[in-house]
Amino acid sequence: QSTWGSQNNIMFPSSDQITGLPQSSKSYLNSGTTRTLSPIVTGTSVLGIKYEGGVLLAADTLASYGSLARFKNVQRVHKVNKSTIIGAGGEISDYQYIQALLKDITIDDESFGDGHTLSPSEIHNFLTRVLYNRRCKFNPLWNVVVVAGFDQGKSYLGYVDMVGTSFSDDYIVTGMGAYMALPMLRAAYRPGLTYDEARKILEDALKVLFYRDCRTINKFNFARVDATGVTIDEPVILETNWEVARV
């Protein structure tokens, strides 16, 4: 008796054929929700300083894959709107997620067409709430973000880290720079700096970080925001000196 067409003769595809995954991967699919326990592709220090009539940020263009200097043309300072820029260190994929969030709220803000835009302090507060919320879910965004802006004739410079700690100051340094470059900015900063003076201070600090921090390279983006808007310069290479010191 023929069994052709009967239910027992139908060939159903296996789960491996459907998912394209080997048998050993099934335990991963059933492992439940996971969290990022350590960042993979990371950026290091971001430096920011106020000057007369604006704020200047700087960051190198390296994204390290663990200890490997893998991606050497990654921009870590970006424009948010006409009065605000941000720079970030830490996990690059999390920073890309933050950029997407900021793009969404900027589009929503502009869609009202009322002539008003989010101020630097409002964006700083928004990021503080986002990062603290993710920390409370035990699923933090592994970033330290610097927010710089110029609005209504006033400069703004703020900091927020992966657990939601935030503050504003006249100069801010993140990453390894908090140990090596911050003392240099403390010694050099004074109210009323010109743009050229602020740039020289950051360049000197970046050189020290290039000498001492094995997660940076000698290629940097400078970004400034002032009454004319946002300007992000092309990457620059700073002149360094590797001669043996003589007493």
Side-chain angles (χ1 to χ4, degrees):
Q1 182 179 0
S2 175
T3 59
W4 180 260
S6 67
Q7 185 174 2
N8 294 333
N9 198 45
I10 298 175
M11 298 299 294
F12 292 99
S14 67
S15 61
D16 293 349
Q17 292 173 317
I18 294 173
T19 63
L21 295 174
Q23 187 73 24
S24 60
S25 298
K26 290 184 178 180
S27 60
Y28 172 78
L29 295 175
N30 298 323
S31 62
T33 303
T34 60
R35 297 287 187 260
T36 301
L37 300 180
S38 62
I40 304 298
V41 180
T42 60
T44 183
S45 306
V46 178
L47 287 69
I49 190 170
K50 291 182 181 179
Y51 62 90
E52 186 66 29
V55 186
L56 181 64
L57 291 187
D60 68 71
T61 62
L62 177 66
S64 300
Y65 181 72
S67 60
L68 174 67
R70 177 64 180 85
F71 306 102
K72 300 181 180 180
N73 292 290
V74 177
Q75 182 176 315
R76 296 192 291 116
V77 289
H78 289 87
K79 176 181 178 180
V80 178
N81 57 30
K82 63 182 181 180
S83 64
T84 309
I85 53 179
I86 63 169
E91 173 61 51
I92 298 299
S93 63
D94 285 347
Y95 179 43
Q96 291 170 336
Y97 173 76
I98 289 173
Q99 286 179 262
L101 289 180
L102 292 175
K103 182 178 180 181
D104 287 344
I105 67 169
T106 301
I107 291 173
D108 289 343
D109 187 41
E110 292 176 350
S111 67
F112 287 111
D114 55 7
H116 295 278
T117 58
L118 292 170
S119 69
S121 62
E122 289 171 333
I123 291 172
H124 184 209
N125 289 332
F126 169 77
L127 290 177
T128 300
R129 301 277 67 79
V130 168
L131 289 163
Y132 182 71
N133 175 265
R134 289 291 295 265
R135 171 258 189 184
C136 291
K137 293 180 177 179
F138 293 91
N139 188 22
L141 298 171
W142 292 72
N143 296 108
V144 177
V145 184
V146 178
V147 180
F150 189 83
D151 186 54
Q152 298 182 353
K154 295 182 179 180
S155 300
Y156 186 88
L157 186 60
Y159 167 104
V160 57
D161 64 16
M162 63 181 288
V163 297
T165 303
S166 67
F167 61 87
S168 60
D169 206 341
D170 294 325
Y171 47 85
I172 288 173
V173 185
T174 72
M176 185 65 73
Y179 302 95
M180 297 181 180
L182 185 57
M184 299 176 64
L185 269 64
R186 283 179 180 151
Y189 178 79
R190 60 175 176 77
L193 287 172
T194 66
Y195 168 78
D196 291 336
E197 289 173 332
R199 172 109 178 195
K200 179 66 166 56
I201 292 171
L202 292 194
E203 286 181 354
D204 290 343
L206 290 170
K207 288 179 184 179
V208 170
L209 291 178
F210 175 56
Y211 293 143
R212 301 292 184 181
D213 185 359
C214 63
R215 298 293 183 271
T216 188
I217 59 173
N218 189 20
K219 189 176 180 182
F220 306 96
N221 281 118
F222 287 88
R224 67 181 183 273
V225 55
D226 52 29
T228 64
V230 172
T231 303
I232 300 178
D233 297 336
E234 291 296 317
V236 298
I237 295 175
L238 301 180
E239 183 179 350
T240 56
N241 184 354
W242 292 94
E243 293 182 0
V244 176
R246 291 178 172 81
V247 178

